[in-house]
Amino acid sequence: MTLIRGSRPRIKALLAALVLIAGVAGTALVAPNHSIEAEQPAQEKQPPAAAKKTPAAQAPTPASYPIGGYFVYATPSSSRNLQKLSEIKAAGADTVITFGTSLVPTTLATLPKECVIDGVNCAKAAAGNLEVNRYFTYSDGSIWGNQAVQCPHDRRIASQGKAFVVLVLPAQGSGCTSTNGKYDVVVAGGGAADGTDPATSMAVAATKLGMKFYAGLPAPVKRTDKAYLPDVSYQGTLGLFTERLLQYQAAVYNVAGLAGFYHHTEMPLTDGHTFDPILDLYRMQNQAIHRIFPTRSAIVSPYLDARVSAFNISLNQARNGVRRIAQTASGLVLSIAIQDGMGTGKGGAFQSNEANSAVDRYAESIVGKGSWSSKYVAPIRDYFLAAAAGISGTGAVLWANLEGMAPATASNPCGDSLRGQSSKARIDRQLQQLANAQKIISFMWDSYYTCVGTGVPLKAQVEAGIATPIITDATFDASTGQVRIIGFNLSGGNAEVKWTTKEGQRLAKTVKPTSTNTAYGVQSGMNPELEMILVNVGKTTLAAGRYYTVNVTNQWGAENDAFYSQRTYTAQSSRGSKG
């Protein structure tokens, strides 16, 4: 997709604003920099103090991996859908999302040949003597029930082993009667006539397991001249069809498990007016959702492109872009799940001390050889900080869409998938960057988490490492010896801190937390699963330009395998943070 080029922030200025961080597996490295001020961004303000002993510390709760949802394919098998969702729940998630289907303009001659009524093409038979403006297909593989038939010319057909519904929509106006006498005819479905409807089955399975299901919305096809934009020549028809689809869903699977809907059409996280047609589409469909399902929400998933070599997105464009998307909500709760770009090579999960280090082999297959800072405008974390600022006050919710695959190389095949298999260690590095997201979902369960690849399926890696501590931030106040550690699955164990004093002495201490705050994320307006632990190694000094390291072993005996820190914890910034 061609993106609008924005002003690229100065890499040197960006890196100067961050303290050096190392991404060595098993060690958090920090370079003390006493010129850094104690002021923190609004979204990272110190939360109210928590009690020294929390309920979680007294009675350990089951471990929970930070990924709370996955994109999935719905199948026409209820048992397979139930099994899939059960596996996802076992991996610590409570949410599944399916993609939508395109409403495709077609001709009478190219409509599904199986769809016939008394030997006559079903669309032609349904329209009868009406003047047809355009024909469309919506090949979602569903089995539409009788509730879809609302207008006199609508038909539900079982023909040659397949089930279809024919909707005759007014080309102008609403309801069943066209104000200009012309009609658009949509042939939808195509699932096995004696089978199970995939979406209905998924909603039932989610309800049974106490999970949340987001169903994909209809989408327009892309323009032939500009493939990054939708074809808006039939926006009215798409709007009517969206409404009819939602009305049908309200009739057949308005169950507890149906949490809302997913916008199938994507756009970059930018403020360029080139993409206004997509914003108009979001607004139109959000209005329809809120009108028919006033208690349901919606998800949209814009993508990052931070590559220096591409039409990259600046931090300012991301900040403004997420706000413009949020303004399409039209009364419903809109979750904006930004794609992190690590699976496609469009984004980089790197720390400031790695800025001059070579990109990993997967990113290299996309951007070529070079350092992270020479290949990417900014790390993913900076884009999410910008997005958190941009979305503030809009009522929309910042989510993250962690790309659960890696660019394909010879070493990481994943069946016949376009991308390659990733690893839990790489996923954990991505999770470090996403602390500002209220919820983290991932693309996608099947097949990137289920393929065997060259070793263990990613879902098995996640299940085996579900209790892994993931450190998203750590700060060190040398004047008091207090180290503040923030992340996932941190509580109930101990922390090892290694540092170098001003005199060059290398020290190491393993200590238990003096305080645990399991509500840190909620209190800070960040990911609600974030925790904070405070440890104290005693008053000391930190050598300028040297790193300190932090390791955490939690209440389940698990050790972190990737993490980082950002800034020196000064005496001023540590006041009032005893919880």
Side-chain angles (χ1 to χ4, degrees):
M1 181 175 289
T2 304
L3 306 182
I4 302 302
R5 181 177 293 276
S7 58
R8 176 186 170 195
R10 292 175 62 88
I11 293 295
K12 290 183 179 178
L14 171 67
L15 297 177
L18 299 173
V19 178
L20 296 179
I21 307 154
V24 180
T27 304
L29 306 182
V30 184
N33 182 344
H34 298 285
S35 67
I36 295 178
E37 298 296 326
E39 182 179 349
Q40 300 181 53
Q43 60 269 34
E44 294 189 272
K45 288 180 180 177
Q46 192 66 33
K52 293 274 184 178
K53 293 288 186 179
T54 65
Q58 295 169 354
T61 56
S64 178
Y65 199 59
I67 297 179
Y70 294 89
F71 283 87
V72 297
Y73 288 119
T75 75
S77 167
S78 292
S79 61
R80 286 176 61 190
N81 288 332
L82 184 61
Q83 179 184 2
K84 184 185 302 185
L85 267 61
S86 298
E87 291 175 354
I88 289 171
K89 188 172 183 178
D94 65 357
T95 299
V96 292
I97 306 110
T98 57
F99 293 99
T101 302
S102 294
L103 183 65
V104 181
T106 187
T107 63
L108 188 63
T110 56
L111 288 169
K113 298 187 183 306
E114 301 91 342
C115 191
V116 293
I117 299 174
D118 297 330
V120 179
N121 179 293
C122 62
K124 184 176 182 180
N129 295 325
L130 296 178
E131 183 179 354
V132 176
N133 178 52
R134 297 178 80 173
Y135 293 98
F136 297 86
T137 56
Y138 189 74
S139 303
D140 60 344
S142 292
I143 304 170
W144 294 60
N146 291 326
Q147 298 91 333
V149 178
Q150 294 186 15
C151 295
H153 286 270
D154 294 345
R155 297 288 185 274
R156 183 177 182 272
I157 303 128
S159 174
Q160 299 182 32
K162 292 188 176 182
F164 299 93
V165 65
V166 181
L167 304 182
V168 181
L169 308 174
Q172 184 174 293
S174 59
C176 297
T177 305
S178 174
T179 56
N180 68 354
K182 297 181 180 180
Y183 293 83
D184 291 322
V185 182
V186 180
V187 177
D194 58 353
T196 300
D197 180 69
T200 304
S201 170
M202 188 65 71
V204 170
T207 302
K208 183 175 182 178
L209 295 172
M211 298 176 71
K212 303 177 182 71
F213 166 49
Y214 289 83
L217 289 167
V221 298
K222 299 182 184 301
R223 284 171 49 172
T224 56
D225 58 336
K226 296 178 180 179
Y228 50 87
L229 292 175
D231 180 354
V232 297
S233 66
Y234 59 100
Q235 187 89 326
T237 304
L238 180 67
L240 288 175
F241 181 75
T242 296
E243 187 137 347
R244 289 289 298 274
L245 175 63
L246 291 172
Q247 289 170 349
Y248 173 71
Q249 290 169 327
V252 297
Y253 56 90
N254 186 9
V255 292
L258 179 66
F261 301 89
Y262 170 71
H263 286 280
H264 184 83
T265 303
E266 295 180 358
M267 66 172 284
L269 188 68
T270 185
D271 57 359
H273 288 280
T274 299
F275 300 97
D276 283 357
I278 300 179
L279 296 178
D280 292 340
L281 172 62
Y282 294 162
R283 187 175 292 106
M284 177 268 286
Q285 292 188 319
N286 285 335
Q287 290 170 351
I289 295 168
H290 193 53
R291 186 164 54 251
I292 298 168
F293 287 96
T295 63
R296 299 316 205 277
S297 59
I299 303 172
V300 61
S301 189
Y303 58 87
L304 292 177
D305 197 335
R307 293 173 295 172
V308 170
S309 61
F311 291 99
N312 53 67
I313 299 168
S314 70
L315 296 177
N316 192 53
Q317 286 175 315
R319 182 183 301 107
N320 296 334
V322 74
R323 194 169 192 86
R324 296 191 75 211
I325 294 173
Q327 290 167 346
T328 69
S330 303
L332 57 68
V333 176
L334 181 64
S335 297
I336 304 177
I338 302 170
Q339 300 173 38
D340 72 348
M342 273 288 280
T344 57
K346 294 179 179 180
F350 64 97
Q351 314 305 335
S352 61
N353 75 298
E354 299 174 303
N356 295 321
S357 299
V359 300
D360 67 22
R361 67 181 185 275
Y362 302 119
E364 182 182 311
S365 70
I366 302 296
V367 298
K369 292 181 180 295
S371 66
W372 288 103
S373 63
S374 69
K375 296 299 182 179
Y376 295 97
V377 171
I380 293 166
R381 181 181 188 276
D382 288 9
Y383 281 100
F384 274 84
L385 286 170
I391 205 171
S392 178
T394 64
V397 184
L398 180 62
W399 285 15
N401 182 359
L402 183 151
E403 294 182 354
M405 67 289 193
T409 69
S411 65
N412 68 326
C414 187
D416 58 358
S417 299
L418 177 63
R419 310 292 179 184
Q421 185 186 42
S422 189
S423 66
K424 183 176 177 295
R426 197 171 197 262
I427 298 296
D428 286 353
R429 281 180 61 92
Q430 292 169 252
L431 287 168
Q432 290 182 290
Q433 307 269 320
L434 306 177
N436 283 87
Q438 293 284 314
K439 190 180 183 76
I440 301 169
I441 58 176
S442 185
F443 173 87
M444 70 175 293
W445 184 260
D446 38 11
S447 61
Y448 293 122
Y449 282 82
T450 58
C451 69
V452 174
T454 57
V456 180
L458 188 53
K459 71 173 184 177
Q461 297 178 43
V462 169
E463 290 169 2
I466 198 168
T468 303
I470 298 172
I471 299 175
T472 62
D473 198 1
T475 55
F476 195 157
D477 179 0
S479 68
T480 64
Q482 181 173 273
V483 181
R484 183 183 71 155
I485 306 168
I486 299 167
F488 303 99
N489 290 332
L490 301 184
S491 60
N494 57 56
E496 178 191 53
V497 183
K498 297 179 180 180
W499 74 100
T500 303
T501 68
K502 288 182 178 179
E503 293 75 27
Q505 185 181 11
R506 295 183 179 180
L507 301 177
K509 281 191 177 182
T510 299
V511 290
K512 288 191 174 297
T514 59
S515 177
T516 299
N517 184 358
T518 57
Y520 177 85
V522 173
Q523 295 167 352
S524 303
M526 301 169 73
N527 191 292
E529 294 188 27
L530 283 174
E531 302 175 337
M532 180 181 71
I533 60 174
L534 298 179
V535 300
N536 199 293
V537 297
K539 184 177 179 180
T540 185
T541 61
L542 289 171
R546 298 293 295 272
Y547 297 109
Y548 62 86
T549 70
V550 181
N551 293 285
V552 169
T553 302
N554 62 20
Q555 60 188 315
W556 300 283
E559 298 180 9
N560 52 286
D561 58 9
F563 52 105
Y564 73 93
S565 297
Q566 277 195 296
R567 54 177 126 2
T568 301
Y569 204 29
T570 66
Q572 181 180 353
S573 65
S574 65
R575 291 174 189 156
S577 63
K578 299 302 181 184

